[in-house]
């Protein structure tokens, strides 16, 4: 699997610092499940955290806390590592997605279905899977807010290139695009949407009330 | 207890202490780790907004997790300090219930296959940590500031932009440059 579109370094840093909302965290994690290069970047960025921890200041721990902690050790012995076989790579992305309850596939337009995931959000992020038949042309749209996507299966193409399985697409309000699904295979994506999507084509305007994207 | 940069916080180094815990449930090793890391983790957590009491409780929880999960630590994945940093982060997230983010992070960490037949390479993981550390120290001041706000205070980009009264794009590009430089410092390492 050849991955060509990755999260930016500042997005990976935000992942390392857990400052992304839960929906965006899930989409980045799903990319990481596909991408050893970005997992390596994440580990390297964790070293920055480790370095700052080492070089950072300290706040004294109160008297007796250490002894209290030591007294607990017998009750929680070190766990032996499980000798289980690692999860096959192909199953990893869906193992993340299926942490969350999902709804039913809903028809949203010709050849296009959507299924919401129950991802809690304080910021109003909506997380869903989008499934589109080969060759489907999605309505022209412009973003108000951000739309982060990780492709799970198949491929779509828009102004910024071809996005196949594992590819990550970070669209914000500077992007207007008219994606279409590559011929041959249906395309399934995981999407976290912050804010609204504004349809720009006449067809899009017509079906926007139906889509409620 | 200021450390000359690059020196491990403990003697023997924390990676060995963790190995001792995994091998022999060594409580002295735990006590040494506790003294070195608990006050640092507490400082981090307080900078992230925790009250002194809950920061202390969480710091103890972090060290207890180090004890419990010692056998899962692998220097193939990085240094002990980086590992403890991620444990603190995961516990901070886990504090809020009905939130599966901590599980998401744990799963991503498991995707990093560790070859059980490759012995721990303390030298290279130490070299790794050293390079990252010196790369942070060499960053321009304005990039260091954004790195510190992100990694120590756990502030989202938008909050950093507000606090520094700068456009969001500036914050992102500073962070991007800092991460790029830091990763470049590691390029010729395996």
């Amino acid at each position: 699997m050849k991955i060509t579109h990755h999260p930016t370094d500042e997005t990976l840093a935000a992942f390392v610092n857990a400052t992304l909302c839960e929906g965006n965290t899930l989409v980045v994690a799903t990319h990481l499940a596909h991408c050893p290069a970005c997992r390596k970047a994440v580990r390297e960025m964790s070293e920055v955290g480790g370095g700052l921890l080492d070089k950072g200041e300290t706040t004294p721990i109160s008297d007796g806390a250490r002894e209290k902690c030591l007294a607990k050790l017998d009750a929680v012995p070190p766990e032996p590592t499980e000798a289980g076989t690692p999860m096959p790579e192909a199953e990893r992305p869906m193992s993340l997605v299926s942490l969350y309850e999902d709804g039913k596939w809903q028809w949203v337009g010709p050849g296009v279905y959507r299924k919401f995931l129950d991802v809690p959000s304080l910021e109003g992020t909506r997380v869903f899977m989008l499934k589109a038949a080969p060759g489907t042309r999605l309505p022209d749209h412009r973003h108000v807010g951000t739309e982060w996507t990780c492709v799970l299966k198949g491929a779509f193409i828009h102004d910024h290139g071809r996005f196949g399985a594992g590819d990550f697409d970070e669209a914000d309000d500077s992007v207007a695009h008219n994606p279409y699904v590559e011929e041959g295979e249906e395309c399934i994506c995981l999407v976290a949407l912050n804010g609204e999507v504004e349809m720009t084509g006449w067809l899009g305007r017509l079906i926007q009330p139906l889509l409620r994207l | 207890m200021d450390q000359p940069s690059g020196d491990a916080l403990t003697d023997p180094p924390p990676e060995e202490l963790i190995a001792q815990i995994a091998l022999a449930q060594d409580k002295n090793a735990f006590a040494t780790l506790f003294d070195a890391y608990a006050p640092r983790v507490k400082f981090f957590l307080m900078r992230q907004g925790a009250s002194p009491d809950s920061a202390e409780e969480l710091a103890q929880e972090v060290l207890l997790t180090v004890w419990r999960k010692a056998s899962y630590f692998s220097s193939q994945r990085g240094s002990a300090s980086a590992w403890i940093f991620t444990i603190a982060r995961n516990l901070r997230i886990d504090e809020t219930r009905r939130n599966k983010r901590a599980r998401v992070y744990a799963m991503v960490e498991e995707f990093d296959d560790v070859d059980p037949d490759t012995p721990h390479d303390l030298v290279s993981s130490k070299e790794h940590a050293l390079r990252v550390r010196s790369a942070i120290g060499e960053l321009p001041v304005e990039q260091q500031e954004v790195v510190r706000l992100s990694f120590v205070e756990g502030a989202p980009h938008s909050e950093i932009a507000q606090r520094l009264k700068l456009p969001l794009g500036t914050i992102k590009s500073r962070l991007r440059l800092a991460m790029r430089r830091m990763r470049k410092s590691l390029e010729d390492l395996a």
Side-chain angles (χ1 to χ4, degrees):
Chain A
M1 179 170 7
K2 176 96 178 77
I3 296 173
T4 46
H5 302 277
H6 305 270
T8 60
D9 276 349
E10 66 270 24
T11 292
L12 291 178
F15 176 85
V16 168
N17 290 302
T19 56
L20 299 172
C21 69
E22 192 160 354
N24 285 353
T25 301
L26 178 64
V27 179
V28 173
T30 307
H31 170 79
L32 291 170
H34 290 89
C35 185
C38 285
R39 288 206 297 274
K40 180 160 173 276
V42 161
R43 287 199 303 277
E44 288 168 358
M45 289 180 192
S46 302
E47 291 294 344
V48 175
L52 291 167
L53 192 63
D54 280 8
K55 288 204 281 194
E57 294 167 52
T58 58
T59 306
I61 298 286
S62 37
D63 293 337
R66 177 184 186 251
E67 279 56 44
K68 228 173 71 192
C69 225
L70 280 164
K72 288 183 190 162
L73 297 182
D74 286 326
V76 285
E79 299 166 7
T81 44
E82 292 153 33
T85 44
M87 187 186 296
E89 276 183 48
E91 291 172 22
R92 292 171 174 182
M94 277 314 291
S95 73
L96 287 165
V97 173
S98 34
L99 284 174
Y100 296 92
E101 299 284 323
D102 58 359
K104 289 203 170 81
W105 286 109
Q106 300 164 317
W107 184 90
V108 288
V112 186
Y113 294 83
R114 180 182 52 185
K115 174 158 88 167
F116 278 105
L117 294 180
D118 185 18
V119 178
S121 169
L122 297 173
E123 301 85 353
T125 308
R126 284 164 294 166
V127 184
F128 53 87
M129 300 223 285
L130 196 69
K131 179 165 77 175
T136 307
R137 198 163 274 277
L138 296 169
D140 282 9
H141 62 281
R142 183 177 285 284
H143 297 277
V144 183
T146 62
E147 181 194 74
W148 290 11
T149 303
C150 180
V151 181
L152 298 169
K153 181 173 183 262
F156 65 80
I157 292 162
H158 64 57
D159 309 353
H160 292 171
R162 176 187 185 273
F163 293 75
D167 276 326
F168 183 86
D169 189 19
E170 210 168 310
D172 61 24
D173 44 20
S174 64
V175 182
H177 53 207
N178 50 338
Y180 64 94
V181 176
E182 203 172 64
E183 292 295 345
E185 191 183 6
E186 69 175 2
C187 178
I188 302 181
C189 299
L190 177 68
V191 184
L193 188 68
N194 293 270
E196 298 296 323
V197 169
E198 205 174 279
M199 301 300 169
T200 49
W202 68 270
L203 178 64
R205 289 212 190 98
L206 202 66
I207 64 171
Q208 182 157 36
L210 295 173
L211 280 171
R212 286 195 309 274
L213 274 173
Chain B
M1 77 180 244
D2 225 28
Q3 298 286 329
S5 83
D7 276 4
L9 285 182
T10 57
D11 182 22
E15 288 80 7
E16 283 177 29
L17 294 172
I18 293 169
Q20 274 309 108
I21 293 173
L23 268 176
Q25 312 201 359
D26 184 338
K27 287 183 185 167
N28 288 327
F30 177 83
T32 309
L33 280 175
F34 188 95
D35 290 341
Y37 284 97
R40 288 168 195 280
V41 173
K42 184 178 176 185
F43 174 79
F44 254 56
L45 293 165
M46 284 178 63
R47 291 313 295 252
Q48 289 164 8
S51 70
D53 283 352
S54 72
E56 178 153 319
E57 205 167 303
L58 215 51
Q60 292 179 45
E61 196 57 43
V62 168
L63 269 297
L64 283 173
T65 305
V66 169
W67 168 264
R68 267 188 13 243
K69 302 279 182 191
S71 62
Y72 288 88
F73 172 73
S74 164
S75 53
Q76 288 173 37
R77 292 197 186 109
S79 69
S81 295
W83 187 54
I84 293 171
F85 168 80
T86 60
I87 291 175
R89 175 201 64 200
N90 293 357
L91 286 176
R92 173 166 59 86
I93 308 170
D94 203 26
E95 254 194 322
T96 46
R97 292 295 155 216
R98 219 188 99 64
N99 182 329
K100 292 177 178 154
R101 274 200 301 165
R103 185 83 197 96
V104 170
Y105 279 94
M107 285 175 72
V108 169
E109 280 152 34
E110 284 164 24
F111 294 152
D112 284 315
D113 300 319
V114 170
D115 180 0
D117 297 328
T118 309
H120 287 208
D121 186 354
L122 272 182
V123 181
S124 91
S125 93
K126 204 178 161 193
E127 174 70 20
H128 223 81
L130 264 174
R131 293 234 195 150
V132 170
R133 259 145 253 201
S134 72
I136 306 171
E138 287 161 14
L139 291 174
V141 186
E142 71 274 8
Q143 288 177 26
Q144 280 196 37
E145 183 178 41
V146 175
V147 167
R148 192 179 48 74
L149 288 167
S150 294
F151 284 79
V152 181
E153 310 213 359
H157 302 165
S158 54
E159 186 190 318
I160 299 174
Q162 275 172 13
R163 279 165 67 175
L164 301 181
K165 298 191 171 57
L166 288 166
L168 183 60
T170 308
I171 304 305
K172 288 189 179 184
S173 74
R174 284 183 186 175
L175 197 53
R176 184 182 323 141
L177 290 170
M179 292 301 108
R180 201 168 287 171
R181 193 175 301 208
M182 181 274 300
R183 290 177 62 192
K184 196 146 187 66
S185 72
L186 297 172
E187 246 168 26
D188 55 328
L189 285 177

